[in-house]
Amino acid sequence: QQPVQSPQAVILREGEDAVINCSSSKALYSVHWYRQKHGEAPVFLMILLKGGEQKGHEKISASFNEKKQQSSLYLTASQLSYSGTYFCGTGPYSSASKIIFGSGTRLSIRP
Amino acid sequence: EAGVAQSPRYKIIEKRQSVAFWCNPISGHATLYWYQQILGQGPKLLIQFQNNGVVDDSQLPKDRFSAERLKGVDSTLKIQPAKLEDSAVYLCASSRGGPQETQYFGPGTRLLVL
């Protein structure tokens, strides 16, 4: 089952914060976050493997609530370089052999 | 460390023609993935190899798509015959081991079927 991402798109001014959510209908083992700029390959941001764990990457962090089967990506004091489409990929317990990507959240940062 | 290499970068063909894509993963990466990404959507896994064995090909349209990874290194994905709905970016990714490892993506091949 494909995870559901929200919002589908968001527009921010430079310096503002954003939250992107990723929800699954299945029990999760892992959540993977990637960013893809237009015309480029997805770039890895982080993997979360434990419930409630929080990870950080520069001013980007994420949480993983295993009980709620969801993850949130937090972008703090957004920069122009943060623009792109953010994908979450979920690794369900039932199928540990692959991750399934959501349809993405398009983030646009304006000066 | 060299990244994942893919070729060609762009391909335009007519429907019913055949096409092949090539991928060379990061050296030492045992797992190789082929994804299809339709415009505006997330990558959809077509096939996953562990060394030269297939781990998952449940979403590969086997009547027209085929893939191989001889010698457990580089891989080719073929479409024969192509349909209009095959227009997409085909991404190759590799990782050191299982799906919980970081996947590194190549630049992709953009296919347009006319």
Side-chain angles (χ1 to χ4, degrees):
Chain A
Q1 250 64 358
Q2 185 181 38
V4 177
Q5 289 188 234
S6 63
Q8 289 187 327
V10 60
I11 300 173
L12 298 176
R13 290 200 179 276
E14 203 172 2
E16 292 181 335
D17 301 340
V19 179
I20 300 171
N21 300 303
C22 174
S23 297
S24 173
S25 59
K26 290 195 169 188
L28 296 177
Y29 178 75
S30 65
V31 179
H32 310 236
W33 286 97
Y34 286 79
R35 177 172 61 209
Q36 185 177 30
K37 293 187 180 284
H38 183 68
E40 299 180 11
V43 173
F44 170 76
L45 293 176
M46 63 191 80
I47 293 177
L48 300 103
L49 295 177
K50 293 181 181 179
E53 183 177 4
Q54 194 130 357
K55 276 197 171 183
H57 175 77
E58 297 178 344
K59 293 182 181 178
I60 301 174
S61 62
S63 63
F64 176 24
N65 190 318
E66 191 180 340
K67 244 183 186 180
K68 292 185 178 180
Q69 298 168 190
Q70 67 184 31
S71 175
S72 295
L73 186 72
Y74 307 94
L75 297 99
T76 305
S78 57
Q79 305 168 15
L80 294 175
S81 61
Y82 289 179
S83 292
T85 301
Y86 289 78
F87 294 100
C88 70
T90 52
Y93 277 103
S94 61
S95 176
S97 66
K98 67 183 178 188
I99 62 172
I100 303 168
F101 285 96
S103 54
T105 294
R106 188 182 306 173
L107 176 65
S108 300
I109 310 293
R110 293 182 174 174
Chain B
E1 170 176 80
V4 176
Q6 289 188 248
S7 67
R9 293 294 310 277
Y10 305 92
K11 192 74 177 179
I12 301 174
I13 61 172
E14 294 188 350
K15 60 182 179 182
R16 292 187 289 273
Q17 285 187 322
S18 62
V19 64
F21 313 128
W22 175 81
C23 172
N24 191 27
I26 292 173
S27 178
H29 280 195
T31 308
L32 185 147
Y33 310 81
W34 281 104
Y35 289 92
Q36 180 193 58
Q37 186 174 27
I38 293 173
L39 188 65
Q41 298 181 20
K44 182 183 90 170
L45 181 68
L46 293 175
I47 189 167
Q48 177 186 339
F49 292 94
Q50 182 82 13
N51 296 309
N52 60 349
V54 176
V55 174
D56 190 321
D57 63 355
S58 57
Q59 296 196 89
L60 186 73
K62 298 180 185 64
D63 58 333
R64 299 184 300 106
F65 286 65
S66 64
E68 60 182 11
R69 190 184 185 195
L70 300 175
K71 301 179 182 178
V73 182
D74 55 352
S75 175
T76 56
L77 175 71
K78 296 179 182 177
I79 307 175
Q80 182 179 6
K83 291 185 175 181
L84 296 177
E85 58 261 36
D86 297 332
S87 294
V89 176
Y90 291 83
L91 295 164
C92 178
S94 70
S95 69
R96 293 184 191 280
Q100 313 313 336
E101 298 276 349
T102 300
Q103 294 186 27
Y104 297 89
F105 284 83
T109 296
R110 194 173 299 268
L111 174 68
L112 179 60
V113 182
L114 302 175

